Amino acid sequence: MRESQLKALKLQNTGVANTIDLGDLKDVHPKDKLPLTQRLALLAAYNTLGQNIEAQGPKMKKVKARGNSLVVYFEHADGLKTTDGEAPAAFWLSDDSKQWLNAEAVIKEQRVVLKSTEIKKPLYVRYAFAGKPRVNLVNEVELPAYPFRTDQFAPKSTK
């Protein structure tokens, strides 16, 4: 569903307020509406009023293979960090086997370096590609990273 919603951004005059970090497993509609309305207000201020502010969370720009790692480059990623000071969560890697494994993730400036001891040559990455993932990756204004994937094959369960 989130992937389909993000495709709407290809249309002129559209925006998506990312709420991947809000709500809970049994109810995706957050009870606390303030963070949602703040994010929508940021989008309106930027897109409609032309204010020079950051209104979006980090978005995957490209992914490059580096040895046994994948490096994810982001836009809207000034001050890239986690909300809890831990390693970035909700990243998964796969190779040609199409089996998904949790990735070890490290922030390096405006990018995240991913690897897994169980995958020698990772080819694909997914971020927050689950029903209600535990996410913690944000930019300097605390806006969460948007979910993404680099593969196009049918979903299999993640570990």
Side-chain angles (χ1 to χ4, degrees), residues 26-38:
K26 294 183 181 182
D27 187 2
V28 296
H29 302 285
K31 293 185 184 359
D32 181 6
K33 304 295 188 209
L34 183 60
L36 175 59
T37 56
Q38 289 170 328

Side-chain angles (χ1 to χ4, degrees), residues 35-80:
L36 175 59
T37 56
Q38 289 170 328
R39 293 172 193 181
L40 289 168
L42 286 172
L43 285 171
Y46 179 80
N47 291 327
T48 306
L49 302 177
Q51 293 182 6
N52 187 21
I53 59 171
E54 182 58 85
Q56 298 178 63
K59 286 185 179 176
M60 186 270 294
K61 186 160 117 181
K62 63 184 174 183
V63 176
K64 288 190 173 183
R66 294 271 160 89
N68 65 344
S69 300
L70 290 181
V71 181
V72 182
Y73 294 79
F74 290 92
E75 56 188 348
H76 304 283
D78 286 343
L80 193 65

Side-chain angles (χ1 to χ4, degrees), residues 115-149:
K115 63 182 176 179
S116 170
T117 56
E118 299 176 57
I119 299 177
K120 296 197 183 339
K121 187 178 178 188
L123 298 173
Y124 308 104
V125 58
R126 288 181 179 179
Y127 172 71
F129 209 78
K132 182 59 183 145
R134 183 185 75 78
V135 295
N136 62 353
L137 189 63
V138 296
N139 59 17
E140 67 186 352
V141 294
E142 303 286 328
L143 293 172
Y146 287 79
F148 70 90
R149 68 175 174 161

